[in-house]
Amino acid sequence: MREYLLTLCITAAVTYLLTGPVRKFAIVAGAMPEIRARDVHREPTPRLGGIAMFFGLCAGLLVADHLTNLNEVFAKSNEPRALLSGAALIWLIGVLDDKFEIDALIKLGGQMIAAGVMVMQGLTILWLPIPGVGNVALTQWQGTLLTVALVVITINAVNFVDGLDGLASGMVCIAAGAFFLYAYRIWYSYGIEAAAPGTLFSAILMGMCLGFLPHNMHPARIFMGDSGSMLIGLVLAAGAISITGQVDPDALRLFFKGSERQTVQATVPVYIPLLLPLTIIAVPAADLVLAIVRRTWRGQSPFAADRGHLHHRLLEIGHSHSRAVLIMYFWSALIAFGALAYSVNSASMWIVLGVVFLSAIGLVLLLLPRFTPRTPRWAEHLVPPRYRRRRAASTHEHSLAVEIAEEARAESHEVSEEPAPVTAGATRVNGATAIGARSRFHVGDGSR
């Protein structure tokens, strides 16, 4: 555990320290696209945060290769090299997209090639444990197709949810944390060495997200872009594929009584969240499915961007930017750690009751802006201003407001009759707005 934590900390530190220089590089390179109709931020913000995350991944793998116990992962398995090869390819495609905005079909093809590169180096699904049937071995083509499909779906699920500051990195960090706990349990408690690569991948993934989050929380100073969102999606999928497709249920049968079929039946809660990464990142997966259905129903391409994602709907309901992100965090943690708790002890009714209770709390928080609570007069000083009663303005305040409005109307009328020339040195005028198009570069310290 100490070596895993050391790897996590090194990855987080490298990612955090490199994000600042990467932000300056993105500004110089012009990776600051103009505000689009679907964006929720108000100022051009540099992308390419995935560069820092990729070098954090490389640092984590390099440190793990030189540690006493984790070195055995590299000696006995080729999966870390397969992950690095696929991650480098998907990261390069993401960097090009952040700079030049390449076509969606080209990105999809790159995702499939990156998944194929990992399959060629051994990171693939070899068998599936099916309840009531047992261990089902897959042919080479079946394993390849299933692996590529899982990688592509997970990458796009993470990419689709990357719409608010800190949302994608925080949700993936939560999913990676839940994934790490169970992968470590399989590796350490059961002594199954095949689970070690997946445990390492999830620890490194947590470090990448934790190192980038301080720069990406609202208001974000830099975005991860597709170079970051596709990268962390691929790492998350690689960890799930490593455990699901490489850990033989026959090895687990040593720790369970009964036949192979009974063993698989007993370990179903274990393999459900690992077999389908979409159950761990259920919120991004639901957003992905809804987006595809919505756009196809309208006759649009499934890759056409819009403002119908779950986080956009939270903003439309009335949640603030930060509260919408925290609500998405809450639901991701509830689903991921609920599945983890169920996999550890599926017979406990307390786990089910706890999940139901927390789900009720989540629904109340989700619909909170729909309610307009009336706070008693004596308790108004105890609640935020938005929950206080609106008092009618006094006669003096109303007359003052009317007088100000009349003065403003008279000034605007005079200006319309005799327009004054606007020069570049005019005071109280935003030069970028008054003279021409807004500059792509934000002047100042970059904070929003």
Side-chain angles (χ1 to χ4, degrees), residues 28-373:
V28 174
M32 291 180 60
E34 297 291 343
I35 305 297
R36 299 165 295 185
R38 68 179 187 269
D39 292 333
V40 297
H41 56 282
R42 299 180 179 179
E43 293 291 338
T45 305
R47 296 182 182 178
L48 295 178
I51 296 179
M53 304 179 80
F54 176 74
F55 283 105
L57 169 68
C58 296
L61 291 175
L62 181 63
V63 170
D65 190 22
H66 289 79
L67 296 178
T68 303
N69 296 319
L70 292 184
N71 177 261
E72 298 180 0
V73 177
F74 296 82
K76 298 180 179 179
S77 174
N78 197 43
E79 293 181 13
R81 301 174 184 85
L83 171 65
L84 185 60
S85 302
L89 180 58
I90 203 70
W91 169 75
L92 180 60
I93 296 173
V95 170
L96 295 176
D97 181 66
D98 290 340
K99 172 58 180 175
F100 302 107
E101 296 187 1
I102 61 179
D103 186 73
L105 292 179
I106 297 179
K107 288 194 295 183
L108 179 62
Q111 295 167 7
M112 298 176 67
I113 294 175
V117 168
M118 294 194 300
V119 170
M120 292 176 59
Q121 300 187 54
L123 186 55
T124 183
I125 298 177
L126 302 177
W127 46 67
L128 290 177
I130 299 178
V133 177
N135 190 22
V136 177
L138 301 178
T139 63
Q140 182 178 1
W141 280 106
Q142 290 173 340
T144 300
L145 291 176
L146 185 57
T147 302
V148 172
L150 287 176
V151 171
V152 171
I153 291 174
T154 307
I155 288 176
N156 286 280
V158 175
N159 191 21
F160 273 40
V161 83
D162 184 24
L164 296 179
D165 297 348
L167 182 58
S169 52
M171 293 179 67
V172 172
C173 184
I174 292 172
F179 190 92
F180 172 80
L181 291 177
Y182 196 83
Y184 183 80
R185 178 172 177 258
I186 293 179
W187 174 73
Y188 183 77
S189 299
Y190 297 154
I192 299 177
E193 294 295 334
T199 311
L200 176 63
F201 297 165
S202 56
I204 292 177
L205 181 57
M206 279 193 293
M208 295 164 60
C209 296
L210 290 175
F212 185 72
L213 263 176
H215 299 273
N216 192 230
M217 292 301 293
H218 184 70
R221 293 172 57 84
I222 185 174
F223 295 153
M224 69 171 65
D226 283 0
S227 59
S229 61
M230 293 197 300
L231 176 63
I232 60 179
L234 181 136
V235 177
L236 180 62
I241 291 171
S242 174
I243 294 237
T244 304
Q246 304 292 329
V247 176
D248 190 353
D250 291 338
L252 288 176
R253 187 173 60 181
L254 300 175
F255 304 95
F256 295 93
K257 297 180 180 180
S259 62
E260 178 183 352
R261 178 177 299 182
Q262 294 173 341
T263 300
V264 174
Q265 188 74 26
T267 57
V268 165
V270 172
Y271 283 98
I272 286 180
L274 302 180
L275 176 62
L276 298 177
L278 305 184
T279 60
I280 291 182
I281 53 171
V283 175
D287 194 13
L288 171 64
V289 174
L290 291 175
I292 293 176
V293 172
R294 180 178 63 253
R295 295 166 185 174
T296 306
W297 184 265
R298 295 175 180 175
Q300 300 176 344
S301 169
F303 302 99
D306 58 14
R307 288 181 60 89
H309 293 289
L310 296 178
H311 49 271
H312 290 139
R313 296 183 182 274
L314 288 176
L315 296 177
E316 292 176 358
I317 290 175
H319 292 287
S320 64
H321 191 293
S322 300
R323 188 163 59 184
V325 172
L326 292 177
I327 288 176
M328 298 284 279
Y329 284 177
F330 175 85
W331 281 105
S332 297
L334 177 62
I335 296 174
F337 287 96
L340 173 65
Y342 182 75
S343 67
V344 174
N345 187 3
S346 59
S348 177
M349 183 59 63
W350 289 105
I351 295 177
V352 178
L353 294 177
V355 171
V356 172
F357 176 73
L358 292 176
S359 299
I361 295 178
L363 289 175
V364 172
L365 295 175
L366 185 65
L367 302 176
L368 190 60
R370 295 294 188 185
F371 303 103
T372 54

Side-chain angles (χ1 to χ4, degrees), residues 43 421-441 443:
E43 293 291 338
V422 179
T423 60
T427 59
R428 297 189 300 173
V429 174
N430 187 339
T433 305
I435 299 177
R438 180 185 295 273
S439 173
R440 297 180 62 192
F441 302 101
V443 180

